[in-house]
Amino acid sequence: MIKALSFFGLLLPAVCFAGHPLTTDDTGTQGTGQWQYEFNTEFATLDTAREQTWNSQLTYGLRDSLDVFISTPYQRLRSDLPDSSARGFNDPTIGLKWRFYERNGLSFGLIPSVSLPFANDHNGLGNGRATYSTRGLMQYTVGSFTWLTNVGYTRNNNVYGDRRNLLSASTAGLYRLNEKITLLADYGYSSNEDPDTSKPEGFALVGAIYSLNQKVDLDLGYKRGLNQQALNHSWMAGATLRW
């Protein structure tokens, strides 16, 4: 039961570093002394379960090009399998976002992070061990269009016997329709945590961000799994506040 819960719970990323609902992250930072709070939810349908996650992330700008953040996800899993449902907090994540290059619309950055083993791994809600990740970021903006690309590595320490070395790659495009609305599409693959298969998990996502003003964004997205190793589909919604 625990093994099944850990597999289902990790099909969706516990932390969404990107501007929600994107999975691919941009290189934008908050600026020195500025704060950002994000709250979002995702409801996913899998082959034998339904999963809802809520994520709360607080970010602070240490410098114009360097942020620190903490993310606290909460998960509810309802499985068709007997005695295989669970709810509770997942492992929290802390990390940095550093934009180290920016010129003529092109920028590069890094996100190192660590997930702390505070959640209840006996119910499949946490890994039971600290997990380390690094993600490389590229962003290119020309006019109203922005192109993003990410590559990542995760040292997936866990007590379940899941695959420990995970790779990921994704790319996204954003088009600023007007001052209020930004349309987006996202596409990517990541290593399967199930050690019994080498087939990666793929996804495609479409969505939109509505900016009430410079301080408040609302968003909505739809994600579709591209193979049997991924989720079937999910709906996402969120809000971002800055001050």
Side-chain angles (χ1 to χ4, degrees):
M1 184 270 286
I2 293 175
K3 176 68 174 180
L5 286 176
S6 68
F7 175 71
F8 286 130
L10 292 170
L11 280 173
L12 298 179
V15 181
C16 186
F17 300 113
H20 200 260
L22 285 172
T23 296
T24 306
D25 205 346
D26 58 39
T27 61
T29 51
Q30 301 309 306
T32 305
Q34 302 299 303
W35 293 87
Q36 176 176 280
Y37 176 73
E38 299 171 82
F39 180 81
N40 52 70
T41 185
E42 180 170 359
F43 182 83
T45 301
L46 303 101
D47 286 340
T48 59
R50 271 75 51 205
E51 180 187 60
Q52 188 165 13
T53 57
W54 295 265
N55 188 62
S56 176
Q57 181 166 305
L58 183 64
T59 303
Y60 176 73
L62 295 174
R63 295 186 342 208
D64 285 347
S65 60
L66 181 65
D67 288 349
V68 60
F69 64 84
I70 181 169
S71 178
T72 54
Y74 183 92
Q75 176 190 51
R76 180 175 65 180
L77 178 72
R78 292 174 292 173
S79 175
D80 297 336
L81 303 175
D83 301 322
S84 296
S85 298
R87 67 171 63 189
F89 283 99
N90 300 120
D91 292 336
T93 297
I94 58 174
L96 299 171
K97 183 178 184 181
W98 175 40
R99 185 179 63 255
F100 59 83
Y101 177 87
E102 184 176 22
R103 185 176 182 182
N104 297 328
L106 178 66
S107 56
F108 294 93
L110 286 173
I111 298 180
S113 63
V114 56
S115 295
L116 305 175
F118 293 164
N120 187 346
D121 60 276
H122 296 292
N123 289 334
L125 295 169
N127 268 2
R129 296 172 182 167
T131 297
Y132 307 93
S133 298
T134 300
R135 192 192 303 200
L137 319 174
M138 187 282 293
Q139 176 176 324
Y140 181 66
T141 300
V142 54
S144 299
F145 179 76
T146 298
W147 175 41
L148 309 175
T149 297
N150 290 181
V151 292
Y153 168 77
T154 298
R155 179 60 176 171
N156 185 38
N157 294 325
N158 65 89
V159 296
Y160 308 112
D162 291 340
R163 180 172 280 114
R164 294 198 175 188
N165 296 305
L166 306 177
L167 301 175
S168 63
S170 63
T171 188
L174 299 89
Y175 181 74
R176 191 169 181 83
L177 191 63
N178 53 47
E179 292 183 356
K180 296 290 187 181
I181 301 174
T182 299
L183 306 179
L184 56 92
D186 203 347
Y187 173 86
Y189 278 87
S190 61
S191 301
N192 198 313
E193 292 164 352
D194 185 352
D196 296 327
T197 180
S198 60
K199 295 182 178 180
E201 302 172 8
F203 76 91
L205 182 155
V206 293
I209 300 173
Y210 180 77
S211 300
L212 291 176
N213 50 54
Q214 293 184 345
K215 300 294 186 181
V216 182
D217 291 341
L218 304 176
D219 62 77
L220 184 67
Y222 172 76
K223 183 191 291 184
R224 182 76 181 181
L226 299 180
N227 50 31
Q228 293 181 347
Q229 283 68 45
L231 75 159
N232 291 338
H233 60 87
S234 68
W235 288 96
M236 297 163 284
T240 301
L241 310 176
R242 305 178 190 88
W243 65 95

